[in-house]
Amino acid sequence: MQIFQMANRMRIPIESSTSYRGRNSRPNWLVLLAFIGVGLGAGAIGALFSPGVSTGANHWYGMLGKPEWAPPNSWFGPVWTVLYVLMGTSAWLIWRERYHRGRRAALAAYAIQLVLNALWAPFFFGAKNIGAGLFVIVALWLTIVWTIREFAAVKSGAAWMLVPYLIWVTCASALNLAIWKLNQ
């Protein structure tokens, strides 16, 4: 009887607001900012080679034949900024699922797609190689699909946050293909 009384005193009360994940559900805002910062950093690498920053890329890209449906250059910066914030937030949501066995694979897929994302602009604008850019963006599209699949296995909301990114990269892939066809 005395053992049971002592055990009851040692129990940690669980409030109704505490989820089944315990500490896992508490946000860590600095880590969120780090995830967003890493995404924006990948975007900054691409931006260094883009027509908005590089005069050489601006001249070269301006001379290329582009389809009529190509979006104006002024769209790319704001759209990518929103997408990088969504991507970083999505990855942070996966990172918070500390005890999920699919977390590591999901974050690995995310890291691979982020590297491919950062590589596209150096190939397309920096090397002025439309074909290599097309290869990289197709690989990027495939890894985004893989990342969404892995994220969905861990937390569906995080996967849905990547859908606008997939749509935008689908459009960018079509644009890259059209530019490649028009400039052969």
Side-chain angles (χ1 to χ4, degrees):
M1 182 86 144
Q2 187 178 16
I3 291 175
F4 291 119
Q5 289 173 348
M6 192 164 61
N8 280 334
R9 283 187 296 213
M10 294 176 64
R11 285 190 186 158
I12 299 170
I14 298 176
E15 300 173 19
S16 61
S17 64
T18 304
S19 76
Y20 71 94
R21 289 176 257 156
R23 287 185 20 183
N24 201 37
S25 66
R26 293 187 186 135
N28 186 329
W29 303 114
L30 291 177
V31 175
L32 171 62
L33 291 175
F35 271 105
I36 292 171
V38 168
L40 290 170
I45 291 170
L48 291 175
F49 295 92
S50 72
V53 174
S54 169
T55 55
N58 188 31
H59 177 71
W60 174 76
Y61 188 68
M63 301 298 284
L64 291 175
K66 292 180 264 319
E68 294 177 10
W69 51 267
N73 290 346
S74 62
W75 286 19
F76 289 96
V79 169
W80 276 113
T81 301
V82 169
L83 292 175
Y84 286 122
V85 170
L86 283 172
M87 290 163 54
T89 305
S90 178
W92 173 72
L93 289 171
I94 296 301
W95 173 82
R96 288 181 60 205
E97 297 296 324
R98 290 183 181 96
Y99 305 112
H100 196 286
R101 81 172 91 196
R103 174 182 177 238
R104 186 177 303 226
L107 290 175
Y110 176 78
I112 292 167
Q113 70 78 30
L114 198 59
V115 167
L116 288 169
N117 181 300
L119 287 176
W120 179 81
F123 277 99
F124 187 86
F125 293 116
K128 297 176 178 62
N129 191 332
I130 301 166
L134 183 60
F135 178 80
V136 172
I137 204 162
V138 168
L140 173 60
W141 189 90
L142 291 170
T143 57
I144 294 168
V145 170
W146 174 40
T147 303
I148 289 172
R149 184 177 148 258
E150 295 297 327
F151 276 28
V154 177
K155 189 169 189 76
S156 64
W160 280 107
M161 290 177 79
L162 295 179
V163 171
Y165 176 41
L166 180 65
I167 292 168
W168 184 255
V169 170
T170 301
C171 295
S173 300
L175 179 61
N176 195 153
L177 177 62
I179 291 171
W180 180 69
K181 286 181 177 181
L182 289 170
N183 294 282
Q184 281 192 10

